Amino acid sequence: MSKRLVVSSVVGVAVFGAVVAGGLAVAAAATELTVDHATARYTPASGKKAASLTFTADVRDDSGVKSLNVLAWPADSKLDPTERDMRDVDRATCAKVSAEKAVCTYAPPITEKEAEKLTEGTWYVSVLATAKDGDTTFVPKAAEFTVVR
């Protein structure tokens, strides 16, 4: 066997191995349901403009995104929600970006009376993401925001 053929075979095996390993890494990363880039912002009422809360997050799963349940709660309440608690709370609106990704937004209406009763200080947002294949991911403190008057 010539040296040229052996070198070509070794290079071919190395390239094939790298492609297979890379493909497996991508496949493994894509199967997990994730919630990324979560942000929350509270804006107090001003003049005729009502108070508002906006939460957004990127949700990904190889089967697609079914839903994102959202709960905002004051840190000083010591609430500590669980995954089970999250099944019956508000849902974000999720816009499909691709077969595997959705951008989810939660912006509940806040009345003047509700805004007056909100506890000032740090708040957290807990989320429960559900994929189309039934997988779930619970993030107890996906984002943080501050309520001020």
Side-chain angles (χ1 to χ4, degrees), residues 18-90:
V19 169
V20 169
L24 290 175
V26 169
T31 61
E32 189 174 325
L33 177 60
T34 60
V35 177
D36 296 310
H37 306 108
T39 61
R41 180 178 177 176
Y42 176 80
T43 305
S46 175
K48 293 183 181 181
K49 192 174 179 182
S52 66
L53 168 64
T54 304
F55 169 81
T56 60
D58 294 342
V59 183
R60 296 176 191 265
D61 188 73
D62 62 338
S63 72
V65 177
K66 180 178 178 183
S67 64
L68 183 71
N69 292 13
V70 181
L71 176 65
W73 52 281
D76 68 357
S77 73
K78 311 293 187 218
L79 184 62
D80 197 22
T82 65
E83 182 171 345
R84 182 180 170 105
D85 297 333
M86 295 298 296
R87 298 197 185 275
D88 296 314
V89 299
D90 290 342

Side-chain angles (χ1 to χ4, degrees), residues 78-128:
K78 311 293 187 218
L79 184 62
D80 197 22
T82 65
E83 182 171 345
R84 182 180 170 105
D85 297 333
M86 295 298 296
R87 298 197 185 275
D88 296 314
V89 299
D90 290 342
R91 278 201 175 163
T93 301
C94 295
K96 184 177 176 179
V97 174
S98 69
E100 297 179 350
K101 179 183 174 186
V103 175
C104 299
T105 304
Y106 175 68
I110 302 174
T111 67
E112 187 177 331
K113 286 182 181 181
E114 289 171 333
E116 290 172 3
K117 292 180 182 179
L118 293 177
T119 303
E120 286 190 276
T122 302
W123 284 59
Y124 298 116
V125 178
S126 299
V127 298
L128 176 64

